[in-house]
Amino acid sequence: ILNVEQSPQSLHVQEGDSTNFTCSFPSSNFYALHWYRWETAKSPEALFVMTLNGDEKKKGRISATLNTKEGYSYLYIKGSQPEDSATYLCAWHDRGSTLGRLYFGRGTQLTVWP
Amino acid sequence: DAGITQSPRYKITETGRQVTLMCHQTWSHSYMFWYRQDLGHGLRLIYYSAAADITDKGEVPDGYVVSRSKTENFPLTLESATRSQTSVYFCASLRGDYTIYFGEGSWLTVV
């Protein structure tokens, strides 16, 4: 089993704060890195799929960067809002695995206080 | 745009009973997956399927059986439920850009 690590495990911030989390993954045989947003009692929702070293993706106030050579990705949230409260999952897809077989981290649980 | 639907959403069953969780997708995606999510663990892959009649084991397949006679359906069966199979189960499918879409989950409690 290949390790995908996320840090921190949980994070509490005030509304308006900017925040970021880390996902680390094996740098060999990299194929793609996924970020998902998972609200309580709902299903995980795809944010980004990144495949190229140096990729940067943005969706509203959320952005992500990717470094495949060193095996990490950062997710940034600018000006956090209470509705951003969720668990953020990253998942790694290696070149040797069957298509779509992802290895998930345990997630970073974000709570944004008003 | 129904996407992926799972049923039942909530189920309580007794140890030793057979339980089937249903999954239906409306997109005709080739790849489908079953994950379980437990406290202290990330999402763990139980089984996946690359196409109708093609299935393979994931990380935690023991005690589960799957079938895929039609592209749109991917049921997961617990042949003889155990308490350790109490979990939230997510069905998912893969889009062409490698985005995975998840169903809303099936909460299963084995007593």
Side-chain angles (χ1 to χ4, degrees):
Chain A
I1 293 178
L2 301 155
N3 283 330
V4 177
E5 303 287 342
Q6 290 189 247
S7 62
Q9 186 174 348
S10 65
L11 196 55
H12 296 253
V13 301
Q14 287 293 129
E15 182 175 358
D17 288 349
S18 292
T19 186
N20 66 84
F21 339 124
T22 305
C23 173
S24 60
F25 50 86
S27 55
S28 58
N29 291 323
F30 175 86
Y31 190 79
L33 192 285
H34 299 233
W35 281 101
Y36 289 85
R37 180 173 180 274
W38 193 0
E39 290 183 71
T40 303
K42 294 187 178 180
S43 55
E45 175 191 349
L47 287 173
F48 306 115
V49 179
M50 295 186 288
T51 56
L52 298 176
N53 185 45
D55 250 358
E56 291 188 26
K57 300 268 187 176
K58 188 174 181 182
K59 189 175 185 178
R61 293 179 291 99
I62 303 176
S63 60
T65 61
L66 178 67
N67 183 322
T68 61
K69 295 186 187 306
E70 296 182 39
Y72 65 84
S73 175
Y74 294 136
L75 187 79
Y76 301 92
I77 302 179
K78 184 178 179 181
S80 303
Q81 300 296 309
E83 57 264 32
D84 295 329
S85 297
T87 296
Y88 291 83
L89 297 173
C90 72
W92 176 74
H93 182 187
D94 87 274
R95 192 171 293 280
S97 290
T98 191
L99 188 66
R101 182 171 176 171
L102 301 181
Y103 297 90
F104 281 87
R106 294 185 183 182
T108 293
Q109 187 173 12
L110 174 67
T111 304
V112 183
W113 299 101
Chain B
D1 182 68
I4 295 184
T5 53
Q6 293 183 230
S7 62
R9 295 289 315 281
Y10 304 94
K11 175 81 176 176
I12 299 174
T13 192
E14 293 178 338
T15 301
R17 296 245 186 193
Q18 183 179 81
V19 176
T20 295
L21 305 180
M22 304 301 292
C23 177
H24 175 80
Q25 54 131 337
T26 58
W27 296 304
S28 299
H29 291 162
S30 294
Y31 280 84
M32 294 187 75
F33 310 87
W34 274 106
Y35 289 90
R36 61 178 288 175
Q37 197 269 327
D38 305 290
L39 198 63
H41 291 93
L43 287 165
R44 293 184 293 173
L45 183 65
I46 305 171
Y47 268 96
Y48 63 97
S49 169
D53 297 321
I54 301 175
T55 63
D56 207 347
K57 296 177 181 178
E59 296 173 60
V60 288
D62 293 343
Y64 302 96
V65 174
V66 293
S67 62
R68 186 123 180 249
S69 57
K70 293 184 178 181
T71 299
E72 60 266 30
N73 296 324
F74 190 37
L76 176 75
T77 298
L78 288 66
E79 294 185 295
S80 177
T82 64
R83 287 185 182 155
S84 64
Q85 292 178 309
T86 293
S87 187
V88 185
Y89 292 86
F90 287 95
C91 179
S93 70
L94 179 73
R95 198 171 72 176
D97 64 352
Y98 309 121
T99 300
I100 289 192
Y101 288 92
F102 289 86
E104 293 186 322
S106 293
W107 273 253
L108 177 68
T109 301
V110 183
V111 297

